[in-house]
């Protein structure tokens, strides 16, 4: 990995880049075109509300080249927080160079300094075997849980595919 990569918590000035990364990731992994006004507002809301979570970014020079989001899940069984890793994106030119590994290690360092964190969780698209192998290589294991969801009626976050 290039030595010039630095890791830090994201700031408000990173919002447009993170929103762009999230849109690129959704298109690449799920073939969904996110609505810019929704993803932009969502990124800005999380950055402005630290109790919901935070983003971590990787910079090469002064350019952000990767990001991930951390959100919180309370575990009463463990009396601690799981940090959910979400919205992971590394620019194509920086992939397979250890950038995600270092992002994850940075998150682990942050958690080590926070006694309220009990572990990490993430979900991965079921056909994304490259990502699954990466997470396994970092010591994460598949759980016995499946993810289910239901959106409230009227919630839209992506543009339906053009059917013409």
């Amino acid at each position: 990995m290039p030595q010039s990569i630095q890791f830090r918590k994201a700031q408000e000035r990173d919002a447009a880049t993170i929103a762009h990364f999230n849109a690129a990731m959704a298109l690449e992994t799920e073939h969904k075109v996110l609505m810019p006004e929704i993803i932009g507002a969502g990124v800005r809301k999380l950055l402005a509300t630290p109790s919901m979570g935070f983003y971590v970014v990787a910079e090469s020079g002064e350019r952000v080249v990767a990001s991930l989001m951390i959100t919180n899940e309370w575990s009463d069984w463990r009396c601690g927080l799981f940090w959910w890793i979400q919205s992971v994106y590394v620019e194509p030119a920086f992939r397979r160079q250890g950038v995600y590994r270092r992002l994850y290690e940075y998150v682990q360092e942050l958690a080590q300094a926070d006694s309220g964190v009990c572990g990490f969780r993430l979900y991965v698209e079921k056909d994304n075997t490259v990502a699954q192998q990466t997470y396994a290589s970092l010591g994460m294991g598949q759980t016995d849980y499946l993810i289910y969801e239901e959106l409230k009626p009227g919630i839209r976050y992506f543009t339906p595919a053009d059917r013409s």
Side-chain angles (χ1 to χ4, degrees), residues 18-29 32 34 89 95:
I18 293 169
H20 169 76
F21 285 175
N22 288 346
M25 182 266 305
L27 186 60
E28 184 178 317
T29 62
K32 291 181 178 167
L34 299 184
Y89 187 80
R95 293 180 186 168

Side-chain angles (χ1 to χ4, degrees), residues 37-102:
E37 66 276 12
I38 301 296
I39 186 59
V43 169
R44 290 188 303 277
K45 176 80 171 188
L46 187 105
L47 286 168
T49 316
S51 63
M52 290 174 24
F54 57 93
Y55 291 96
V56 172
V57 297
E59 283 184 315
S60 178
E62 294 187 20
R63 189 174 118 228
V64 173
V65 298
S67 65
L68 62 76
M69 178 176 69
I70 299 292
T71 57
N72 300 314
E73 175 194 0
W74 177 250
S75 173
D76 55 351
W77 289 11
R78 297 162 186 90
C79 192
L81 289 174
F82 273 102
W83 277 359
W84 275 85
I85 299 170
Q86 302 178 65
S87 300
V88 174
Y89 187 80
V90 178
E91 283 189 347
F94 288 85
R95 293 180 186 168
R96 312 309 302 166
Q97 297 179 42
V99 174
Y100 175 74
R101 175 178 293 279
R102 278 296 294 127

